[in-house]
């Protein structure tokens, strides 16, 4: 699947022709889903150069000659009016009510529920490291939204947003989706980009983070093996490692997270329909 790369590099010359083709075979923009953990796709003035939600810069893309801000809505967002600030004025948008289900998980390794002080300190260091990456905003030459593919084949064993209870203790909602794939299954880059972090984290296990430009960052966790290095440019579909169960995991699976404007959103909103899974 190198089509999005082709499209990106040819945008200036063949924009209208290719866009027609793309819209007939791909969802070129993410699903406009204005609820907590969702994405608001907001049309802005054509020559808008900057947009922000709170203090975070927001990705701007061009589709069919119109300019859109692709706004990640925090899972903690209140329902009601929120404001996108741009260099062409403010735009209000409404966040609607949305209820995520609860999930109760039992873990035998109780340190992954209540880490000891040393483990907690490690987790806090790692969280800062990951948050700094989520906050980064790399300008890219093309302004089209990256087209994502499924990073692995499998059913969704845990959707985004589940209010999770580990051994009946409430924890942060699930910030991505879990794809149930067997141990050693190849995990693929969901879109082209640059590897900005690899690590072995307390909760996330062996993890790869990929920068797709303009604050659009994906994360693949619990890997048994990592096959890419920080700074490496990767194309969509490139193998990045193998599925595992490192970190806080009850079985082998790939945790896939997507962040826009330093906000973790439901990856299903950027992925093609189930029928297009590898
Ligand atoms: Zn997960």
């Amino acid at each position: 699947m190198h089509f999005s790369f082709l499209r990106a590099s040819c945008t200036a010359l063949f924009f209208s022709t290719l866009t027609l083709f793309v819209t007939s075979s791909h969802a070129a923009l993410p699903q406009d889903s204005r609820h907590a953990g969702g994405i608001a796709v907001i049309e802005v003035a054509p020559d808008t150069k900057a947009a922000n939600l709170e203090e975070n810069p927001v990705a701007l893309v061009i589709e069919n000659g119109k300019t859109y801000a692709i706004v990640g809505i925090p899972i903690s967002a209140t329902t009601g009016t929120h404001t996108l600030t741009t260099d062409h004025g403010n735009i209000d948008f409404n966040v609607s009510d949305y209820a995520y289900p609860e999930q109760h998980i039992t873990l035998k390794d109780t340190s992954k529920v209540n880490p000891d002080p040393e483990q907690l300190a490690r987790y806090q260091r790692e969280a800062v490291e990951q948050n700094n990456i989520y906050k980064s905003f790399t300008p890219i030459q093309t302004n089209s939204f990256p087209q994502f593919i499924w990073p692995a084949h499998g059913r969704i064993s845990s959707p985004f947003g589940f209010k999770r209870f580990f051994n009946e203790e409430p924890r942060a909602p699930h910030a991505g989706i879990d794809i149930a794939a067997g141990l050693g299954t190849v995990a693929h880059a969901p879109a082209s980009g640059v590897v900005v972090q690899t690590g072995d984290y307390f909760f996330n296990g062996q993890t790869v983070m990929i920068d797709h430009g303009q604050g659009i960052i994906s994360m693949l966790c619990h890997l048994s093996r990592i096959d890419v290095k920080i700074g490496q440019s990767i194309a969509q579909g490139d193998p990045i490692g193998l599925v595992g169960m490192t970190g806080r995991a009850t079985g082998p699976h790939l945790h896939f997270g997507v962040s826009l404007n330093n906000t973790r959103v439901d990856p299903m909103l950027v992925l093609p329909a189930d029928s297009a899974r590898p």
Side-chain angles (χ1 to χ4, degrees):
M1 266 285 281
H2 296 281
F3 185 69
S4 60
F5 172 74
L6 173 74
R7 178 180 168 228
S9 53
C10 300
T11 297
L13 282 175
F14 302 112
F15 183 79
S16 56
T17 318
L18 282 168
T19 301
L20 277 177
F21 182 72
V22 165
T23 47
S24 64
S25 60
H26 291 79
L29 293 172
Q31 275 180 52
D32 190 4
S33 312
R34 301 185 183 187
H35 56 70
I39 299 173
V41 179
I42 299 174
E43 190 179 350
V44 296
D47 48 350
T48 299
K49 293 284 178 286
N52 279 66
L53 185 70
E54 309 291 336
E55 75 280 15
N56 295 303
V58 166
L60 293 168
V61 303
I62 297 169
E63 186 65 31
N64 286 331
K66 292 178 177 170
T67 306
Y68 297 90
I70 310 297
V71 187
I73 304 171
I75 197 157
S76 58
T78 51
T79 58
T81 305
H82 290 251
T83 304
L84 179 74
T85 58
T86 83
D87 57 348
H88 283 63
N90 293 350
I91 302 172
D92 286 344
F93 63 100
N94 190 61
V95 171
S96 56
D97 199 16
Y98 195 83
Y100 290 100
E102 289 184 359
Q103 184 185 36
H104 295 260
I105 298 168
T106 304
L107 286 174
K108 290 194 187 104
D109 180 0
T110 53
S111 75
K112 292 293 195 305
V113 180
N114 291 305
D116 67 33
E118 197 179 309
Q119 290 167 327
L120 198 62
R122 174 184 162 192
Y123 163 69
Q124 283 162 346
R125 273 197 312 274
E126 293 171 352
V128 168
E129 196 173 291
Q130 291 165 38
N131 281 331
N132 284 338
I133 290 164
Y134 283 132
K135 280 185 208 153
S136 63
F137 192 88
T138 315
I140 49 169
Q141 285 182 334
T142 171
N143 279 331
S144 56
F145 191 79
Q147 303 301 293
F148 283 83
I149 59 167
W150 289 81
H153 176 75
R155 72 185 170 86
I156 306 296
S157 54
S158 178
F160 175 88
F162 260 9
K163 295 170 187 161
R164 297 198 299 180
F165 296 78
F166 287 98
N167 299 354
E168 297 312 316
E169 295 190 37
R171 289 294 178 269
H174 194 212
I177 58 172
D178 290 345
I179 303 170
L183 202 66
T185 304
V186 175
H188 299 273
S192 60
V194 175
V195 176
V196 283
Q197 186 63 290
T198 63
D200 188 2
Y201 296 116
F202 182 66
F203 287 127
N204 291 331
Q206 292 208 75
T207 295
V208 172
M209 296 175 82
I210 305 168
D211 185 350
H212 306 290
Q214 293 204 86
I216 304 166
I217 300 191
S218 63
M219 180 187 230
L220 300 116
C221 305
H222 310 303
L223 300 167
S224 62
R225 198 180 85 192
I226 293 174
D227 293 327
V228 289
K229 291 194 163 54
I230 294 173
Q232 189 178 331
S233 289
I234 46 174
Q236 182 183 66
D238 280 356
I240 56 102
L242 301 179
V243 171
M245 53 178 297
T246 52
R248 184 171 65 186
T250 52
H253 71 275
L254 182 66
H255 173 100
F256 174 48
V258 172
S259 184
L260 310 174
N261 50 276
N262 188 24
T263 299
R264 265 54 81 199
V265 297
D266 187 349
M268 298 299 280
L269 301 173
V270 304
L271 285 170
D274 271 18
S275 58
R277 285 199 212 183

